[in-house]
């Protein structure tokens, strides 16, 4: 999927059972006031918290530059994780860290 600069990739509060993996470009996790909290680059995942924990999006992520991203739906992710259990562990660890960070940042 291609995102232009300033596109919203995920919106805080949305429900969606998918995640994105940036393959090119830069994106940012932004606060409700529009302040950049964290910058994301190639290889970072977006939306993994909702995928793993079944919760609404905990943050808004916008593209800073043109971004290419691979969208991975939950049902496809379940199949991939069976083939590559180490990948699941890495993404799950990242999701747990981001979830904990989002609780600290947004409370």
């Amino acid at each position: 999927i291609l995102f232009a600069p300033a596109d919203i990739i995920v919106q805080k509060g949305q429900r969606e059972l998918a995640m994105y993996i940036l393959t090119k470009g830069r994106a940012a996790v932004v606060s409700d006031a529009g302040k950049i909290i964290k910058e994301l680059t190639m290889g970072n995942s977006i939306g993994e918290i909702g995928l793993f924990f079944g919760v609404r999006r905990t943050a808004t992520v916008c593209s800073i530059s043109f971004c290419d991203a691979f969208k991975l739906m939950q049902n496809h992710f379940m199949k991939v994780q069976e083939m590559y259990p180490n990948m699941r562990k890495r993404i799950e660890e990242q999701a747990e860290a981001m979830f904990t960070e989002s609780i600290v940042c947004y409370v």
Side-chain angles (χ1 to χ4, degrees), residues 62-104:
C62 299
S63 55
I64 296 173
S65 64
F66 282 97
C67 292
D68 283 325
F70 177 74
K71 183 175 183 178
L72 188 59
M73 300 300 295
Q74 186 178 39
N75 60 333
H76 295 130
F77 178 73
M78 301 304 267
K79 292 176 187 174
V80 170
Q81 71 161 339
E82 290 172 10
M83 295 169 41
Y84 303 100
N86 289 337
M87 181 194 73
R88 177 190 167 84
K89 182 171 174 48
R90 184 176 148 256
I91 294 173
E92 189 170 8
E93 287 170 355
Q94 182 179 346
E96 287 174 3
M98 292 297 289
F99 188 64
T100 301
E101 186 178 319
S102 71
I103 291 170
V104 171

Side-chain angles (χ1 to χ4, degrees), residues 1 3 8-20 46-59 61 70-75:
I1 298 175
F3 296 98
I8 294 174
I9 298 172
V10 297
Q11 179 73 44
K12 183 178 177 180
Q14 279 181 329
R15 278 196 189 273
E16 185 181 355
L17 294 176
M19 64 179 280
Y20 300 85
I46 300 166
E48 70 278 5
I49 293 171
L51 189 71
F52 280 100
F53 302 112
V55 297
R56 292 180 186 270
R57 300 290 191 207
T58 59
V61 177
F70 177 74
K71 183 175 183 178
L72 188 59
M73 300 300 295
Q74 186 178 39
N75 60 333

